[in-house]
Amino acid sequence: MIARAGARMALIAALVATCGGAGDAAAQPLDDPFPGVARGYVVAVDGVARWGFAVDMPLAPASLTKLMTALVVVEAKRAALERDDVTVSSRAAAAGGARLGLRAGEAMHAGDLLTAMLLRSANDACVALAEWTGGSEHAFVARMNARAAALGLADTHFVNACGFDAPGQQASARDLATLVHAFMAESTLAARARIESAVVRTRGGRSMRVANTNALLGRVPGVIGAKTGYTSRAGRCLAVVAERKGVRVVAVLLGAGDRWWDAAAMIERAFDAAR
């Protein structure tokens, strides 16, 4: 466990406790000032990896997968996202894990589905968006892998759009830090990633409030995104972005023991180092 250093760290720990408990390839090997915090992690300051452990090890990414899903959806459907409705298929409605509770045959605005996928990590919204964009989830995943290759994500491969545990569903911490950079460069994604809660509605009139699963938002100064994830195979995962005085810090943790406290400590140390 990371030693709590100073009053500021203690304050952050107390705040986080209330919510429950693009890297530079030349930077390898990286110092590891946070031993044992995760199966793999990386901390980057202004796009340069500063610290990490097993940064290039392919690991299960859980719902950090949805960073790529969202990026592919926005790049393919930028204009339609703000005007089109999406009809939910029976396959999307049957998606397990975190979900909105969408029903087969009902429609929702595409932008609301994107919001629900990013904030609540709703898998039914995720599959609906993948099918709408790619025609089928299988075809959409092919687009995800092509985009990963274009970004140079050598240790990343997807077999589903939402991050369900499956053989071959993998990403490294360094690759995900690069993906976070591309994700945050899209204004519609960056704007949604920092929303703490929102209301989404089906075209039939059902409304649902979705809360952001990123517990550091509003609790650690400067945090503006990006995504959380959990599965039994992946463990607790987090990709977090923070900005202060023109400095941007990205931390990615895969299989973390205490993602909230450890990520808060990483962010503080990174800003201290930048100063």
Side-chain angles (χ1 to χ4, degrees):
M1 179 59 63
I2 298 171
R4 288 157 172 76
R8 178 170 54 186
M9 288 290 94
L11 174 61
I12 291 174
L15 289 169
V16 173
T18 66
C19 60
D24 179 358
Q28 267 288 56
L30 300 174
D31 290 337
D32 178 13
F34 306 104
V37 300
R39 294 172 195 158
Y41 83 89
V42 69
V43 180
V45 180
D46 288 334
V48 178
R50 296 289 296 270
W51 310 302
F53 172 75
V55 296
D56 297 313
M57 180 182 293
L59 295 166
S63 283
L64 301 193
T65 297
K66 294 183 175 85
L67 294 167
M68 180 62 83
T69 302
L71 181 64
V72 172
V73 167
V74 169
E75 289 178 344
K77 294 281 196 176
R78 194 180 307 276
L81 197 63
E82 301 306 324
R83 68 167 189 260
D84 285 7
D85 292 340
V86 176
T87 300
V88 178
S89 72
S90 57
R91 188 172 182 276
R99 57 199 310 278
L100 272 179
L102 296 172
R103 301 163 185 163
E106 70 181 345
M108 179 174 276
H109 189 271
D112 276 0
L113 286 172
L114 183 64
T115 298
M117 182 182 75
L118 292 176
L119 272 64
R120 184 179 286 184
S121 207
N123 292 318
D124 44 3
C126 171
V127 175
L129 285 170
E131 292 176 338
W132 174 63
T133 303
S136 69
E137 185 179 3
H138 180 76
F140 182 83
V141 169
R143 294 192 187 191
M144 293 171 68
N145 286 318
R147 192 68 179 94
L151 286 170
L153 309 187
D155 301 303
T156 294
H157 182 74
F158 302 108
V159 297
N160 62 71
C162 302
F164 295 116
D165 288 338
Q169 185 86 4
Q170 63 187 40
S172 68
R174 193 197 299 274
D175 279 359
L176 287 167
T178 300
L179 175 56
V180 166
H181 177 76
F183 174 95
M184 294 297 290
E186 286 287 350
S187 59
T188 190
L189 298 178
R192 281 174 167 84
R194 66 194 306 166
I195 296 171
E196 293 188 37
S197 67
V199 175
V200 296
R201 296 177 176 84
T202 67
R203 289 312 191 194
R206 286 203 302 136
S207 63
M208 292 151 275
R209 178 167 293 277
V210 291
N212 201 315
T213 57
N214 184 354
L216 299 184
L217 278 171
R219 293 180 173 87
V220 174
V223 169
I224 56 173
K227 191 73 189 70
T228 68
Y230 173 79
T231 66
S232 58
R233 175 175 167 233
R236 290 172 173 81
C237 301
L238 175 66
V240 62
V241 183
E243 283 188 345
R244 298 179 194 169
K245 297 181 179 179
V247 175
R248 174 172 285 193
V249 172
V250 173
V252 176
L253 297 87
L254 298 172
D258 184 350
R259 57 184 166 179
W260 306 127
W261 163 253
D262 291 339
M266 289 172 175
I267 289 166
E268 292 302 316
R269 180 160 182 165
F271 282 121
D272 283 346
R275 283 194 294 271

